[in-house]
Structure formats: C-alpha cells, structure tokens
C-alpha cells in the first residue's frame, strides 16, 4: 500500500507587506520567511522521516543509529537565535498558565 503523505507548502506568495517585513526583520526571522520560496518538497523523504520518528525519545531511528534535532542544529541551519528573548506574538492577557499550556501542552508550577 502506498503510504506517501500529501505535503502542502504554506509559504508567502509574492512580495511581503512592508508591515510584515518590518516585524520579521525586527524579530530576526525575515530570512526564514524567505527560505522556502521556490523550494519543492520531497513527499517520499518526508514520509520516510515521519515513519522513523520515535515520539517517546524524540529521535529518528535510522539504519546507522538514532538522531535528533537540537536547538544548535536549528541555529546552524536556519540562523535563528536560540537564546535571548522569546518571540511568541502579542499577548493580551496575563493568564500565563493558559499561555504555557497552549504553546507547550503542559504547565509546571
């Protein structure tokens, strides 16, 4: 049975709005928004990675062993900062327990 995932790219089509571009530049994410432009996904590769993902250990199980994606790898590949202030968007309320649960799926107190 063919088990290839259907992949959809949700990239920005066309030029960025100056307002959005300003916010992305200030947050240091502008280059990330532009990464996928003109890029094609390989559904077979993505499907293979999904099948090899072990959620209990947060690793990919591949023939030569296990590997995981760390914040250092994200920093090296995408140039995103992994320390400093967190970018979460606009928060209009102070119920941080709800915010943490929405973003992380768990709350520790």
């Amino acid at each position: 049975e063919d088990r290839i995932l259907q992949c959809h790219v949700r990239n920005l089509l066309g030029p960025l709005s100056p307002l959005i571009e300003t916010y992305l530049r200030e947050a240091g994410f502008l280059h990330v928004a532009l990464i996928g432009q003109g890029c094609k996904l390989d559904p077979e590769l993505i499907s293979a990675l999904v099948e090899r993902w072990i959620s209990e250990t947060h690793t990919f199980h591949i023939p030569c062993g296990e590997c995981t994606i760390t914040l250092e790898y994200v920093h090296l590949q995408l140039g995103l900062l992994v320390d400093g202030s967190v970018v979460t968007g606009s928060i209009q309320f102070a119920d941080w327990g709800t915010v943490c649960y929405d973003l992380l799926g768990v709350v520790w107190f």
Side-chain angles (χ1 to χ4, degrees):
E1 178 180 332
D2 190 13
R3 297 180 53 183
I4 303 301
L5 295 174
Q6 296 296 318
C7 302
H8 300 281
V9 178
R10 303 264 193 262
N11 287 346
L12 298 169
L13 303 174
L16 293 174
S17 157
L19 178 63
I20 293 173
E21 186 175 334
T22 300
Y23 286 130
L24 289 172
R25 183 174 278 109
E26 287 176 9
F29 288 134
L30 180 60
H31 66 286
V32 177
L34 303 175
I35 284 175
Q37 291 183 346
C39 180
K40 291 191 171 198
L41 295 178
D42 184 344
E44 290 85 5
L45 175 61
I46 293 171
S47 295
L49 288 172
V50 168
E51 287 182 2
R52 295 176 182 277
W53 178 253
I54 309 298
S55 59
E56 293 82 13
T57 58
H58 301 284
T59 58
F60 292 101
H61 185 16
I62 54 179
C64 62
E66 291 184 354
C67 70
T68 190
I69 299 169
T70 66
L71 285 176
E72 184 179 6
Y73 297 152
V74 172
H75 168 71
L76 291 172
Q77 293 291 322
L78 301 178
L80 292 175
L81 298 176
V82 293
D83 55 3
S85 299
V86 177
V87 178
T88 61
S90 177
I91 303 295
Q92 300 297 324
F93 56 90
D95 184 359
W96 290 107
T98 301
V99 172
C100 289
Y101 186 80
D102 289 345
L103 294 174
L104 304 172
V106 67
V107 178
W108 291 285
F109 288 105

